[in-house]
Amino acid sequence: MSKLKNKVAVITGANSGIGLATAKLYLKEGAKVVISGRRQEALDEVAEDLTGDFITVLADVSKAEDNVHLINKTTNAYGNIDILFLNAGIAPPTPTTEISEAHYDEIFNINVKGPILAIKEALPHINDNGTILFTSSIVSKKGFDGLGVYSASKGAIRSFARVLTSEVKSRGIRVNAIAPGPIDTPIYGKMGLPQEVVEDMGKGFAAQVPLGRFGTSEEVAKTALFLASDDASYINGIELEVDGGLSQI
Ligand code: NAD
């Protein structure tokens, strides 16, 4: 059965990892999908692989004008939006003693300002009873060294989601966040760390997870499908951990 038949879904950070797995699953479930990312080459590559009704849109979420462009392209192609999945994010680590203004700005511009501006642009074009999803993270509830600014950014977006849940309630729009634990995606290779450090970090995370392993993008995508579909029709305002139990012990 197609759980998202004819629904229009916009996914940011959809050319890689969790966003790409979700785009594939949404297409399989009958949605029209707007696949957004900040690198044209990566968008072109995934477009070659995908089947279904989709467009790609080049947009850097940290730029106000790109968020306007993203929503304009979406409404021109498909009309109003049913599902807005604000997933793009970065996680470069830095110990607190070495935090620079540039480090702070980069993370907050992409992880916090980006989704907030995208929502502002999209809201007039989201159908009543639509759904907004965020990718937050369990890091806002834990204390992983070096991830101070990243953890703060994910905590900020979780707080924003609570307010939004209330502000859109009269339109029946549901707002939820997905908080992944360690998920095997390209994000770890983009942290600017040597490969062996990334591998040690990975082993350390996996050892702390009750299920003893990293999760997959597909496991998060299935959660994004559940929360966007009618199966979750009475689920609103939550942050759902997809972390093998890591944040619960
Ligand atoms: P990823 O690196 O594979 O995907 C991140 C996506 O965001 C990419 O498509 C990238 O191009 C996009 N992006 C980054 N900056 C952007 C910008 N300025 N404008 C537009 N797009 C931009 O990593 P992922 O693990 O799939 O990450 C997806 C989300 O999941 C992120 O928000 C991340 O913080 C969150 N997350 C990941 C993990 C994990 O362990 N992988 C854990 C918790 C939360």
Side-chain angles (χ1 to χ4, degrees):
M1 208 181 75
S2 298
K3 293 196 169 191
L4 302 180
K5 197 164 173 44
N6 291 327
K7 299 283 186 197
V8 174
V10 178
I11 307 175
T12 65
N15 54 31
S16 178
I18 291 166
L20 177 56
T22 305
K24 285 180 182 165
L25 189 57
Y26 280 12
L27 285 168
K28 200 171 140 210
E29 292 293 335
K32 301 169 187 179
V33 182
V34 178
I35 294 169
S36 179
R38 69 169 162 176
R39 281 195 311 118
Q40 188 61 54
E41 203 188 332
L43 288 171
D44 292 344
E45 239 172 67
V46 303
E48 273 184 26
D49 259 13
L50 295 175
T51 47
D53 192 349
F54 69 90
I55 59 167
T56 61
V57 179
L58 184 67
D60 179 337
V61 294
S62 68
K63 294 184 178 150
E65 63 274 21
D66 282 22
N67 286 302
V68 175
H69 173 69
L70 171 62
I71 302 307
N72 278 344
K73 287 283 246 185
T74 300
T75 53
N76 287 342
Y78 295 129
N80 275 355
I81 299 162
D82 298 294
I83 302 158
L84 178 63
F85 185 17
L86 300 148
N87 165 73
I90 57 165
T94 298
T96 297
T97 47
E98 287 164 34
I99 289 170
S100 65
E101 197 176 346
H103 172 79
Y104 174 90
D105 285 346
E106 188 191 17
I107 294 180
F108 265 75
N109 284 345
I110 293 174
N111 293 4
V112 184
K113 188 176 87 174
I116 291 174
L117 292 183
I119 284 165
K120 186 198 156 201
E121 285 311 317
L123 264 185
H125 308 285
I126 296 182
N127 282 322
D128 288 359
N129 305 316
T131 299
I132 299 169
L133 286 177
F134 294 91
T135 305
S136 57
S137 171
I138 62 153
V139 293
S140 63
K141 302 187 191 97
K142 304 286 280 185
F144 297 117
D145 290 9
L147 291 179
V149 178
Y150 176 63
S151 304
S153 76
K154 293 300 188 179
I157 212 64
R158 200 285 172 260
S159 296
F160 181 80
R162 284 187 194 280
V163 174
L164 190 65
T165 305
S166 180
E167 286 185 349
V168 299
K169 62 181 184 286
S170 63
R171 296 174 54 193
I173 297 172
R174 293 183 298 111
V175 179
N176 291 298
I178 297 169
I183 307 297
D184 190 5
T185 74
I187 205 167
Y188 293 93
K190 301 173 187 171
M191 285 180 155
L193 298 170
Q195 184 59 24
E196 63 271 21
V197 175
V198 173
E199 278 167 19
D200 282 352
M201 189 171 70
K203 282 182 201 146
F205 278 142
Q208 292 175 57
V209 175
L211 290 181
R213 64 172 176 86
F214 267 55
T216 65
S217 296
E218 289 71 27
E219 288 175 306
V220 184
K222 281 189 243 175
T223 309
L225 172 61
F226 167 65
L227 287 174
S229 75
D230 280 348
D231 290 344
S233 54
Y234 202 51
I235 297 179
N236 193 18
I238 68 159
E239 181 175 58
L240 181 53
E241 294 89 357
V242 185
D243 68 348
L246 176 58
S247 61
Q248 305 303 322
I249 60 168

